[in-house]
Amino acid sequence: MRTADCWKDYELIDCSAGRRLERWGDIILIRPDPQVIWKTPESHPLWKNPHAVYNRSSSGGGSWEILKKIPDSWQIGYKELTFNVKPMGFKHTGVFPEQAVNWDMTAELIKSAGRPVSVLNLFAYTGGATVSALKAGAGVTHVDASKGMTLWAKENAVSSGVADRPVRWLVDDCIKFVRREKRRGNHYDIIIMDPPSYGRGPGGEVWKLEDEIYGFIEECSELLYENSLMMLVNSYTMGLSPAVMEYILGETVQKKFGGFVESDDIGIPVSSKPGRALPCGASAIWRR
């Protein structure tokens, strides 16, 4: 597992019985996490003294229970980046801390390329990968179907001091965008994607990741070219293992362009349990 162990403003303090105890800057949150199937003693004192707890509803969804006054939004930093954090209706905060391992890897690749690098970030959410790539010196095309998430990503770019860098902010359906880019004959050096497990298109089309991911990666491979550097696929779908995604990249991108593929879980160290880390998702990577 690759673990995001360079955070200072974020900390996974403990996890037990389907919940995480986390520090976001100075704010302590408890949030649900289906990966946490163990029931270890909740002995850390902050379990009983959080600022807010997200409680699941038996009918689906849930809501935040605010126990101490917290701001509507606040900032946390990661290395040279600054992100705006906001408790959202569906337990999220706008930042997935485990993705820092991928931000760092991509940034190093951009810096070592020795030439201009173009990045396509699909299902780009609040732009963690976008602002990291911009900070490293790349030009980025940021695509997400949500106008609200794209505005949030722009806020993160301003906070991180990269709003003036070469970036296209596009509110668009990622699948339709990729198909238009194919027709235009456009190509990218790096493609990053973090597709949802389920979704609906503007015409009511149902997206189920396990059914769509192979064909979509195959289409995205047509936006690479002989000097492209990387394709990175992230997944939070429980049934889609790193090895499955690695196999798909091998059959699509590697077969076409050579290079190598690898995959692994990504996670976060648990600060109260030295040597323990919580798996939080999976990434598969093709590189030149």
Side-chain angles (χ1 to χ4, degrees):
M1 185 192 308
R2 294 184 296 131
T3 57
D5 55 6
C6 294
W7 280 96
K8 293 188 170 93
D9 284 356
Y10 171 82
E11 180 185 1
L12 176 56
I13 301 167
D14 198 6
C15 49
S16 178
R19 303 189 303 168
R20 298 186 190 187
L21 175 65
E22 302 170 296
R23 178 180 62 82
W24 297 82
D26 296 327
I27 306 297
I28 304 300
L29 302 179
I30 295 177
R31 298 189 297 153
D33 189 320
Q35 291 277 73
V36 184
I37 62 174
W38 47 88
K39 294 183 179 180
T40 50
E42 295 180 355
S43 54
H44 196 286
L46 286 175
W47 278 111
K48 297 179 180 178
N49 194 29
H51 289 81
V53 179
Y54 188 90
N55 296 309
R56 288 266 191 215
S57 168
S58 58
S59 58
S63 61
W64 287 97
E65 179 185 3
I66 306 300
L67 302 172
K68 300 180 185 178
K69 186 176 181 180
I70 60 174
D72 292 335
S73 66
W74 65 96
Q75 293 184 332
I76 63 170
Y78 179 75
K79 296 185 176 179
E80 298 178 313
L81 307 175
T82 301
F83 299 107
N84 298 281
V85 175
K86 309 171 190 176
M88 298 168 64
F90 185 64
K91 82 172 183 177
H92 296 304
T93 61
V95 178
F96 287 81
E98 64 276 5
Q99 288 297 332
V101 294
N102 289 329
W103 304 338
D104 288 347
M105 178 188 64
T106 305
E108 286 304 312
L109 190 60
I110 292 166
K111 292 173 183 177
S112 64
R115 60 177 174 84
V117 173
S118 59
V119 175
L120 173 60
N121 188 12
L122 298 167
F123 310 98
Y125 194 52
T126 58
T130 294
V131 297
S132 176
L134 290 170
K135 183 70 82 170
V140 181
T141 298
H142 173 111
V143 188
D144 195 277
S146 168
K147 182 178 180 180
M149 292 300 105
T150 304
L151 289 173
W152 193 340
K154 290 181 180 181
E155 293 175 9
N156 287 332
V158 171
S159 298
S160 294
V162 294
D164 60 340
R165 305 288 175 91
V167 57
R168 290 195 297 162
W169 304 104
L170 301 176
V171 179
D172 205 345
D173 179 277
C174 289
I175 298 171
K176 293 180 178 178
F177 174 79
V178 166
R179 289 171 181 168
R180 288 199 303 274
E181 288 291 86
K182 284 166 52 181
R183 292 195 294 270
R184 295 175 186 131
N186 289 336
H187 298 92
Y188 295 87
D189 295 298
I190 295 173
I191 298 176
I192 299 168
M193 68 175 78
D194 196 345
S197 300
Y198 298 95
R200 287 190 178 273
E205 311 92 336
V206 176
W207 162 279
K208 186 177 179 184
L209 186 59
E210 295 96 321
D211 296 338
E212 306 291 345
I213 189 65
Y214 181 85
F216 185 62
I217 290 176
E218 197 167 36
E219 290 195 86
C220 288
S221 72
E222 297 182 46
L223 301 185
L224 299 172
Y225 69 111
E226 62 274 9
N227 291 322
S228 289
L229 301 171
M230 184 177 75
M231 182 184 285
L232 168 62
V233 183
N234 297 302
S235 172
Y236 289 94
T237 301
M238 299 280 283
L240 197 62
S241 71
V244 168
M245 295 192 297
E246 180 178 328
Y247 192 101
I248 292 172
L249 284 178
E251 285 297 303
T252 53
V253 184
Q254 186 185 29
K255 187 173 284 188
K256 187 182 296 186
F257 295 107
F260 66 97
V261 293
E262 58 186 340
S263 64
D264 209 342
D265 292 315
I266 57 176
I268 308 169
V270 182
S271 63
S272 66
K273 305 282 176 60
R276 297 279 185 265
L278 174 67
C280 300
S283 293
I285 304 150
W286 167 81
R287 280 190 281 191
R288 166 73 45 208

